[in-house]
Amino acid sequence: MNRGLLDKAYMHCMERGHRFTPPRERVLRVLTEANRPLGAYDILQQLTTDSDKPNPPTVYRAIQFWHQEGFIHCIDSLKAYVVCCSGQHLGQTHFLICNSCDFVKEMDYRIDFEPLINAAESLGFSVDSSTVELKGLCVNCKKEERQAAPHSSS
């Protein structure tokens, strides 16, 4: 578990007058402990125990809160969420996503979107954030693919 992220989230809430509620803490804890992106239903399942079944709207609101505050990112194509690799970040995010396995890596890299943002603004559109998803094969899946390919003989 990433105790530092939970402490940072707690301080963020206190400094901004947000409530650090048990559902918010539990949702963030599940995502920090996950080693892969999780969909909202996956998060809800992990929070459900024999003695406690959280209210789905409460879980969805907690997910939305952490997303708005920049502690988690939504990977739209996977309909899943991951904890921000830098702890908290709003704005541009970029992900490498393996088409074959659960590998997802957030990249800490800036792309100059100024021409695109200027074009959007000229149409009266205000850009709040952007997410770039680069899809392909991770190193492990590429290796497996090469090993599975029939060898050609000369």
Side-chain angles (χ1 to χ4, degrees):
M1 171 189 43
N2 187 340
R3 186 71 227 170
L5 180 65
L6 291 172
D7 291 342
K8 183 177 183 174
Y10 175 80
M11 291 305 300
H12 174 84
C13 287
M14 295 303 104
E15 290 168 359
R16 287 170 180 71
H18 301 306
R19 294 181 313 135
F20 190 75
T21 63
R24 286 179 179 174
E25 180 180 4
R26 290 174 66 204
V27 164
L28 193 56
R29 184 180 305 274
V30 163
L31 284 166
T32 60
E33 292 172 353
N35 59 358
R36 63 184 180 83
L38 296 176
Y41 184 74
D42 298 322
I43 296 168
L44 183 61
Q45 272 190 311
Q46 289 197 24
L47 293 174
T48 300
T49 63
D50 291 335
S51 61
D52 182 28
K53 182 165 180 12
N55 186 1
T58 302
V59 172
Y60 292 120
R61 281 193 298 273
I63 292 168
Q64 181 181 22
F65 172 78
W66 292 125
H67 184 247
Q68 285 175 200
E69 298 301 313
F71 283 86
I72 65 174
H73 300 299
C74 180
I75 301 175
D76 293 322
S77 66
L78 301 177
K79 295 178 178 59
Y81 299 89
V82 294
V83 172
C84 177
C85 73
S86 65
Q88 181 193 20
H89 170 88
L90 290 169
Q92 243 185 67
T93 53
H94 313 90
F95 293 99
L96 300 178
I97 302 170
C98 181
N99 291 325
S100 187
C101 71
D102 288 336
F103 176 83
V104 172
K105 171 78 173 137
E106 182 179 352
M107 302 299 290
D108 190 20
Y109 186 78
R110 289 278 166 245
I111 297 173
D112 183 9
F113 284 115
E114 191 170 343
L116 184 58
I117 291 170
N118 290 342
E121 288 175 350
S122 74
L123 297 171
F125 188 85
S126 177
V127 177
D128 294 327
S129 65
S130 65
T131 302
V132 175
E133 298 180 12
L134 301 171
K135 294 186 170 194
L137 290 177
C138 68
V139 66
N140 293 329
C141 290
K142 277 182 15 184
K143 187 185 304 179
E144 285 179 24
E145 188 178 76
R146 280 193 303 268
Q147 290 172 347
H151 298 288
S152 60
S153 56
S154 304

